[in-house]
Amino acid sequence: ELKEEFTRILTANNPHAPQNIVRYSFKERAYKPVSYVDQMAIHFSLNGNMILKDSDEGRRQSIRLSIAAKKASVETSAVTSEEAEIKGEESTGDTQVILHKEEEAEGSGTAEVAEAAEVEPPPPPSMKEQKLANQFNFIERASRTLNNPMRERACQSEPTPCKNFSATANQWEIYDAYVEELQKMERSKEKEKTKAQIAKREEEKKKGRKLTSLESQGDDITKISKAAKIMERMVNQNTFDDIAQDFKYFEDASDEYRDQQGTLLPLWKFQYDKTKRLAVTAISWNPKYKDLFAVGYGSYDFMKQGQGMLLLYTMKNPSFPEYVFSSESGVMCLDFHNDHPYLVAVGFYDGNVAIYNLKKTTSQPSYKSSGKSGKHTEPVWQVKWQKDDMDNNLNFFSVSSDGRIVSWTLVKNELVHTDVIKLSVEGTTMQGPEGLQLQTLGCGTSFDFHKKIDYLFLVGTEEGKIYKCSKCYSSQFLDVFEAHHMAVDSVSWNPYHLKVFISCSSDWTVKIWDHTIKAPMFIYDLNSAVGDVAWSPYSSTVFAAVTTDGKAHVFDLSINKYEALCTQLVVAKKKNKITHIQFNPVYPVVIIGDERGHVTSLKLSPNLRRMPK
């Protein structure tokens, strides 16, 4: 094995040189591999410089070198003269040869004298050859680590396309341009004059109010707004494709094995940046466009009152509202008109009511009450549109904590009010000064009109009572129900069964009543304050309620009269409460609003939407 020979062939090629370098050839307009690669590896290089002999510096250098050489020769001769060699030769006569050497000491001139003999003369001084060490003939042991091969990356950008443009400007062209500009200015001045009068009126209304996106958009955007809206909806449908598929086609198969129980499947979540700090105070579906709903934003906290907002969302675009209206006071309630779905009646925290017209592109309400026109002195808790009156004027009702139920009629573009009824609490007449009889007013919190009997309506109050009233009698109630121990949050007639209505309250209960009987038919305790309750549009026995602990409860009395078929946590965060719930009139969907300004849509599973026989 030791004798075995291994041949190693050394080539001039550099093993680290890259083999596959590619350059862009502008001639052939393609990347081409480079055939020749530099193989030389330089291990050591030293930069030197040469000087001309005849130049000044060259002469100076040669003189300097000759002087140094002379000095060196003088020193070497002095040393050789001092050290002479002593040679003793044997002769026939006993002659001793002694060299007289005089030592030059610092102050002593002594000389050792011996027997004199023949002295040889010193040899001529010879220059010693200075051998230079061969710097390249040496062995050095060292270990070397592998160096990673160098890599180069190059990137070439395509040259930007250039276009030549040339034009001549004549005097008349310049003149025409100036004339056109002057005409534009004149036109804009005329527009400003007409706008100035409108602006004055609007400025009074618009103190501190921001323009909506509709107003701030320029003329150019309005041209493509429809196309942009369709594009936005298409993008959203692609983004939320899985939710859209669930909404349209998903049916929870596990309902068959669930013994009548059901579930709610979360679909889209609607939120808007400017409503994060506001609570959802009202929700209403549009009667004509079944995917469109309005959401009112305000605050139920007396200490945290600020501005409010009215947004309209469509399920076709969950990422951004279709319409945005802001108001100085919090929106507390709203209602769409049945025959004119573009009209929205709104009640505010400051006691005002207003009508918004969605066809108009302004951010302001088309009609609004004021202190002069008999606005409420307390928050308006509910508004409801009624059929047009005898003169075909639009009219709606409102209920407020100030104890008044007011009918508002739109006469000649103005809201005219008439008090329908004042809620008085029985047995609370106080003796005022000078024998005046003072009546304590009840605080209305909710009301609902009968679906068939026009004049009949119910009013829920803060004291927990429900009054059955008629539009015809302003002083007398038809009936009083001692319904709840706390404020009645919602009261609602059944859409199918004409005698039945439902009520919910902060005392944790939901009660179902027959208006001809004083006692409730059903009582459900939901272990938390009930914020809202709603009948389903597809069945007379299905209703849903939401509680402040973040849960939604769905009941079907035809299946189970004692317990909810579904109790599900919808809002997980602490310090967040659900405020409202509404069924979609057509689709099996409910929308739920909470105190953080979010609106969640949920799909009812098959067990929760059984049609009655």
Side-chain angles (χ1 to χ4, degrees):
E1 281 181 1
L2 292 170
K3 288 174 186 174
E4 195 178 336
E5 285 187 2
F6 293 95
T7 54
R8 289 187 72 186
I9 299 164
L10 300 176
T11 60
N13 288 352
N14 179 6
H16 293 317
Q19 302 296 326
N20 51 357
I21 291 178
V22 174
R23 290 269 188 276
Y24 184 76
S25 162
F26 282 97
K27 185 179 176 188
E28 297 179 35
R29 291 175 179 257
Y31 286 94
K32 292 278 178 186
V34 177
S35 55
Y36 170 71
V37 178
D38 190 16
Q39 301 287 352
M40 184 165 74
I42 297 167
H43 291 294
F44 175 74
S45 66
L46 180 71
N47 293 337
N49 52 356
M50 301 176 80
I51 303 168
L52 279 172
K53 275 187 175 184
D54 299 342
S55 66
D56 291 344
E57 198 174 342
R59 287 198 207 96
R60 268 189 245 117
Q61 199 165 316
S62 59
I63 290 164
R64 215 181 295 129
L65 286 170
S66 63
I67 290 168
K70 277 180 189 176
K71 272 187 183 176
S73 63
V74 169
E75 282 173 11
T76 48
S77 63
V79 171
T80 48
S81 63
E82 277 180 12
E83 297 170 357
E85 291 179 3
I86 305 164
K87 288 184 183 178
E89 292 180 358
E90 290 179 3
S91 56
T92 50
D94 292 350
T95 45
Q96 288 179 0
V97 183
I98 290 158
L99 176 71
H100 284 260
K101 185 185 178 191
E102 291 180 345
E103 283 187 354
E104 294 176 5
E106 284 180 24
S108 65
T110 58
E112 287 181 14
V113 183
E115 292 176 20
E118 292 177 12
V119 179
E120 272 191 18
S126 61
M127 284 282 285
K128 251 190 184 178
E129 265 188 46
Q130 283 185 331
K131 266 194 177 180
L132 289 169
N134 182 358
Q135 290 187 349
F136 296 97
N137 189 13
F138 68 99
I139 294 168
E140 187 184 80
R141 283 168 183 261
S143 65
R144 260 189 93 191
T145 55
L146 272 173
N147 285 356
N148 288 330
M150 293 283 283
R151 285 183 188 173
E152 285 187 9
R153 276 183 76 176
C155 163
Q156 291 190 344
S157 58
E158 290 181 15
T160 48
C162 296
K163 277 188 183 177
N164 290 339
F165 170 76
S166 60
T168 55
N170 300 325
Q171 265 189 323
W172 57 82
E173 280 180 1
I174 296 169
Y175 175 76
D176 288 349
Y178 272 106
V179 169
E180 208 174 298
E181 185 65 28
L182 285 167
Q183 284 173 349
K184 265 190 190 174
M185 286 166 76
E186 280 172 13
R187 272 187 233 127
S188 65
K189 276 180 185 174
E190 283 171 15
K191 276 185 185 176
E192 276 173 14
K193 281 177 186 175
T194 52
K195 278 183 183 177
Q197 295 167 349
I198 303 164
K200 276 181 184 176
R201 291 175 204 155
E202 283 191 2
E203 267 175 26
E204 290 168 11
K205 296 176 186 175
K206 261 193 222 168
K207 282 178 183 172
R209 288 191 196 170
K210 293 174 184 174
L211 289 173
T212 60
S213 54
L214 291 169
E215 271 187 46
S216 56
Q217 283 170 347
D219 298 334
D220 303 332
I221 294 173
T222 49
K223 289 173 190 170
I224 58 154
S225 62
K226 193 178 180 186
K229 184 179 277 191
I230 294 166
M231 276 300 297
E232 186 182 16
R233 288 185 180 188
M234 287 165 75
V235 169
N236 268 297
Q237 199 168 336
N238 289 344
T239 311
F240 300 108
D241 181 53
D242 48 346
I243 298 179
Q245 295 290 340
D246 285 351
F247 164 70
K248 194 84 176 159
Y249 303 111
F250 179 77
E251 299 297 352
D252 196 350
S254 58
D255 266 25
E256 294 172 22
Y257 313 104
R258 256 208 204 102
D259 188 36
Q260 317 291 358
Q261 298 285 311
T263 54
L264 294 170
L265 172 74
L267 297 174
W268 301 279
K269 193 171 188 180
F270 301 87
Q271 55 193 66
Y272 183 55
D273 286 343
K274 292 179 183 174
T275 59
K276 276 182 183 171
R277 300 274 176 88
L278 301 171
V280 175
T281 52
I283 302 177
S284 179
W285 286 97
N286 190 295
K288 184 177 178 185
Y289 300 102
K290 308 302 181 188
D291 57 294
L292 187 72
F293 61 93
V295 186
Y297 293 89
S299 173
Y300 285 122
D301 191 341
F302 172 72
M303 301 300 289
K304 291 180 184 171
Q305 285 305 321
Q307 66 152 5
M309 290 195 95
L310 169 64
L311 303 185
L312 276 90
Y313 282 104
T314 168
M315 294 199 287
K316 292 174 185 172
N317 180 6
S319 62
F320 200 81
E322 292 291 299
Y323 298 91
V324 181
F325 302 99
S326 57
S327 61
E328 287 169 10
S329 179
V331 173
M332 292 328 268
C333 52
L334 54 92
D335 190 32
F336 276 108
H337 196 290
N338 223 17
D339 305 326
H340 309 290
Y342 53 87
L343 293 179
V344 189
V346 176
F348 296 102
Y349 194 85
D350 60 5
N352 276 315
V353 292
I355 298 174
Y356 284 89
N357 188 342
L358 303 182
K359 284 185 175 179
K360 294 183 180 173
T361 54
T362 59
S363 65
Q364 302 311 310
S366 303
Y367 315 103
K368 191 174 180 181
S369 65
S370 63
K372 290 177 187 173
S373 63
K375 79 176 186 79
H376 290 283
T377 54
E378 296 274 329
V380 180
W381 291 114
Q382 213 162 351
V383 288
K384 277 271 194 312
W385 285 102
Q386 294 300 301
K387 288 179 182 170
D388 297 357
D389 66 5
M390 308 293 262
D391 305 326
N392 287 337
N393 292 324
L394 298 170
N395 76 314
F396 66 92
F397 277 57
S398 65
V399 65
S400 165
S401 309
D402 62 3
R404 289 162 63 215
I405 288 162
V406 178
S407 168
W408 300 89
T409 313
L410 196 60
V411 183
K412 295 179 184 174
N413 292 344
E414 276 191 10
L415 283 175
V416 178
H417 82 288
T418 34
D419 286 10
V420 177
I421 203 161
K422 278 190 176 166
L423 301 174
S424 57
V425 182
E426 288 173 8
T428 57
T429 45
M430 286 164 56
Q431 201 68 28
E434 298 176 12
L436 281 170
Q437 294 285 316
L438 292 177
Q439 186 84 29
T440 310
L441 290 176
C443 300
T445 53
S446 57
F447 69 158
D448 192 27
F449 288 84
H450 198 277
K451 303 288 184 280
K452 291 284 188 297
I453 308 166
D454 270 347
Y455 61 83
L456 193 64
F457 65 97
L458 298 165
V459 183
T461 61
E462 251 178 55
E463 295 80 45
K465 291 178 181 172
I466 295 175
Y467 298 104
K468 186 166 78 170
C469 311
S470 166
K471 293 183 189 175
C472 309
Y473 308 112
S474 59
S475 56
Q476 210 58 40
F477 305 127
L478 301 181
D479 211 341
V480 180
F481 300 91
E482 297 287 343
H484 294 277
H485 302 298
M486 290 175 75
V488 179
D489 291 324
S490 176
V491 60
S492 173
W493 288 101
N494 189 305
Y496 296 98
H497 200 295
L498 302 179
K499 284 185 176 181
V500 175
F501 68 89
I502 193 167
S503 67
C504 72
S505 164
S506 308
D507 66 1
W508 297 12
T509 59
V510 172
K511 296 184 182 180
I512 296 174
W513 308 76
D514 181 326
H515 79 85
T516 57
I517 304 167
K518 284 269 194 167
M521 297 192 292
F522 295 100
I523 301 175
Y524 299 100
D525 190 330
L526 301 183
N527 295 330
S528 190
V530 187
D532 195 10
V533 70
W535 288 108
S536 77
Y538 52 83
S539 168
S540 62
T541 56
V542 177
F543 67 91
V546 287
T547 51
T548 50
D549 57 359
K551 287 179 183 171
H553 309 260
V554 183
F555 291 81
D556 189 343
L557 302 178
S558 65
I559 294 169
N560 191 336
K561 293 177 186 173
Y562 306 104
E563 288 178 340
L565 297 191
C566 169
T567 298
Q568 193 167 316
L569 193 70
V570 179
V571 180
K573 283 183 186 171
K574 288 179 182 174
K575 293 184 182 173
N576 193 1
K577 299 171 184 172
I578 302 182
T579 53
H580 286 279
I581 184 166
Q582 282 292 327
F583 282 89
N584 184 293
V586 178
Y587 305 115
V589 170
V590 289
I591 46 173
I592 287 175
D594 61 36
E595 281 198 333
R596 295 280 168 93
H598 298 163
V599 177
T600 314
S601 56
L602 301 111
K603 184 174 183 179
L604 300 149
S605 68
N607 277 359
L608 301 181
R609 50 176 209 265
R610 294 215 173 136
M611 302 292 276
K613 290 173 186 174

